[in-house]
Amino acid sequence: MNERELGELRRRLRPDRHTIDRIRGCYVNERREIISEFDQSLALMSESEAEKLLSLLRKCLSGGIGKNLSELTFSTQQVVGSAEHRRLMRLRDSALKDDEAIADFYQAAIQSLAIEGNYLILLAHDAYDVPYRGRDDLTQADASSEVYSYLLCAVCPVKLTKPALGYDVPEGAFRNLSADWVLAAPETGFLFPAFDDRSANIYGALYYARSLEENQKDFADALFHCTLPLPPTAQKDAFRAVLGSSLEAECSCAVVQNVRGQLCGIIEEHKANKIPEPLTLSKGAVREVLRSGGVSEAGIDAFTRQYDEEFGADAALVPRNLVDTRQMEITTEDVTIRVSAARSDLVETKLLDGVPCIVIRAEGPVQVDGVDVRIG
């Protein structure tokens, strides 16, 4: 999937655009017990209630592919005869009317989710009459290419609000508002099947995780049994650790700045060209980044060996998860320095009288605690 296809689905999840025929779900307590189930039509809800439910489902298509969203791929063997793929297909093909498949899905989800407290599992089915898009990239609403039948799932924690003091307008007085249980933003969720080339792809799914540090790996494994990429934060930490340990003495400030600059350049070029497909780098592409950054062939080979151990030989990395394009950060035990990404050239390391130092070239006025100071 790409960002354009993702945006097309997101725009549909509005009260005046969706064709979701039913919403099913269950409320689960902290002991992993289902304490209530519901099967409801959005058409019978008020517009305000429908919008709130749709916004929760819409959240599971947010955050960008490679960040909060991960593309999952089923093997041919899974599509032909695996229990996890068969369960998803039964849910979709029955438009959530197969009670046995629903019960099986709930149990698989509940046993694998690691969420503290109460939560709600939401399941929605939609049939999207995909409008034809011509060579001029304009859609024709009255010409359909196919009907895309799909599932959306959102797992939302249920949290207790705090008591508060509120103003009652009709009475013109302040009144105590008691604590109440409310749905929070989804912790995780998914879209199945994938919407590739504006068409259903039963070999793919799109997996959502709200946290950049924890992606509910057990939940994804139970439902899809597919390899889930490392969360963005873990991917960044692992890349930095592999870079530092593999290059060792060669890992100078200049080399890291050069590699960082190469990655930022790739990101900016992808953005400038308005390419809808998500940006990823294969192991071979990462090797070229290191080579262009001034890393020796021996260092590149050492990095490659550790890359295979940490990520897998066939793994691709998302550049946006590896560097902060807005700023560069330099830290010691006592000092943290943040520099605009566009001016990382102002920083270098030197030995002054045998003492390792970080040198920052000062251009223009300099302030310390808001006070203008003079240098020299």
Side-chain angles (χ1 to χ4, degrees):
M1 290 184 64
N2 59 43
E3 293 296 336
R4 182 180 296 176
E5 293 160 348
L6 198 56
E8 185 174 347
L9 293 183
R10 273 198 296 258
R11 287 190 294 272
R12 286 187 44 72
L13 297 176
R14 304 285 181 186
D16 58 338
R17 292 186 178 183
H18 78 90
T19 52
I20 292 176
D21 42 20
R22 66 196 297 129
I23 294 268
R24 297 193 68 163
C26 65
Y27 184 40
V28 183
N29 65 16
E30 67 277 3
R31 295 187 297 275
R32 295 186 172 183
E33 299 169 339
I34 296 177
I35 56 178
S36 68
E37 295 187 41
F38 62 90
D39 183 353
Q40 202 164 352
S41 168
L42 281 181
L44 299 179
M45 297 183 185
S46 69
E47 185 173 330
S48 174
E49 291 170 337
E51 168 57 28
K52 287 182 172 63
L53 270 177
L54 289 170
S55 69
L56 293 174
L57 295 170
R58 195 163 59 242
K59 190 71 176 175
C60 290
L61 298 177
S62 66
I65 299 172
K67 209 167 186 68
N68 298 88
L69 295 167
S70 300
E71 293 186 282
L72 302 181
T73 303
F74 293 101
S75 67
T76 301
Q77 290 80 2
Q78 284 181 292
V79 173
V80 169
S82 70
E84 61 274 4
H85 195 273
R86 186 163 53 248
R87 179 198 299 130
L88 293 169
M89 291 297 292
R90 284 179 64 186
L91 291 173
R92 188 198 72 153
D93 294 344
S94 69
L96 300 180
K97 296 175 184 176
D98 187 329
D99 292 336
E100 184 180 346
I102 288 284
D104 183 35
F105 173 82
Y106 286 162
Q107 289 306 313
I110 292 168
Q111 294 305 315
S112 57
L113 280 166
I115 296 179
E116 293 184 5
N118 303 344
Y119 59 88
L120 192 73
I121 299 176
L122 287 172
L123 273 174
H125 173 263
D126 190 14
Y128 175 29
D129 201 6
V130 184
Y132 175 76
R133 178 174 287 165
R135 293 184 179 180
D136 55 4
D137 209 32
L138 297 177
T139 58
Q140 301 175 22
D142 57 346
S144 174
S145 54
E146 74 162 278
V147 175
Y148 169 54
S149 174
Y150 66 97
L151 303 172
L152 261 177
C153 173
V155 180
C156 306
V158 180
K159 297 184 178 180
L160 187 65
T161 62
K162 293 181 179 180
L165 189 63
Y167 185 71
D168 190 314
V169 175
E171 292 188 17
F174 288 96
R175 295 282 184 261
N176 282 322
L177 300 177
S178 59
D180 204 355
W181 294 97
V182 297
L183 282 178
E187 191 71 23
T188 186
F190 66 85
L191 166 79
F192 174 83
F195 188 52
D196 290 334
D197 296 324
R198 306 183 70 238
S199 181
N201 174 14
I202 63 171
Y203 283 80
L206 195 63
Y207 182 76
Y208 170 80
R210 182 190 64 82
S211 172
L212 299 181
E213 301 175 357
E214 168 57 50
N215 56 10
Q216 293 283 341
K217 182 178 180 299
D218 291 342
F219 176 65
D221 187 60
L223 295 187
F224 306 103
H225 205 58
C226 297
T227 301
L228 193 64
L230 284 174
T233 300
Q235 197 173 116
K236 176 185 66 178
D237 293 342
F239 177 78
R240 293 176 175 179
V242 170
L243 189 66
S245 61
S246 61
L247 301 190
E248 296 181 336
E250 191 179 348
C251 193
S252 66
C253 179
V255 165
V256 173
Q257 283 175 297
N258 289 340
V259 170
R260 187 183 187 286
Q262 292 288 323
L263 292 172
C264 288
I266 291 171
I267 294 170
E268 288 303 315
E269 182 180 3
H270 185 268
K271 181 179 179 181
N273 292 333
K274 298 181 179 180
I275 301 172
E277 283 70 28
L279 174 62
T280 59
L281 293 180
S282 64
K283 181 175 67 176
V286 176
R287 285 175 59 92
E288 287 303 314
V289 167
L290 299 184
R291 187 172 288 111
S292 299
V295 178
S296 68
E297 290 301 319
I300 292 173
D301 290 341
F303 175 88
T304 301
R305 288 191 293 272
Q306 292 197 29
Y307 181 103
D308 291 349
E309 294 175 5
E310 186 66 38
F311 302 107
D314 299 324
L317 302 184
V318 179
R320 291 184 183 276
N321 293 340
L322 308 182
V323 292
D324 185 341
T325 57
R326 296 165 299 177
Q327 65 180 16
M328 181 178 73
E329 186 174 279
I330 304 161
T331 59
T332 70
E333 289 185 359
D334 304 304
V335 178
T336 297
I337 303 167
R338 293 183 177 88
V339 185
S340 169
R343 295 314 313 268
S344 61
D345 60 301
L346 296 176
V347 182
E348 59 181 319
T349 56
K350 285 186 177 181
L351 280 175
L352 299 178
D353 298 328
V355 178
C357 296
I358 299 168
V359 180
I360 304 173
R361 189 169 72 254
E363 295 182 356
V366 177
Q367 292 184 337
V368 176
D369 278 345
V371 180
D372 293 323
V373 298
R374 297 180 180 177
I375 299 176

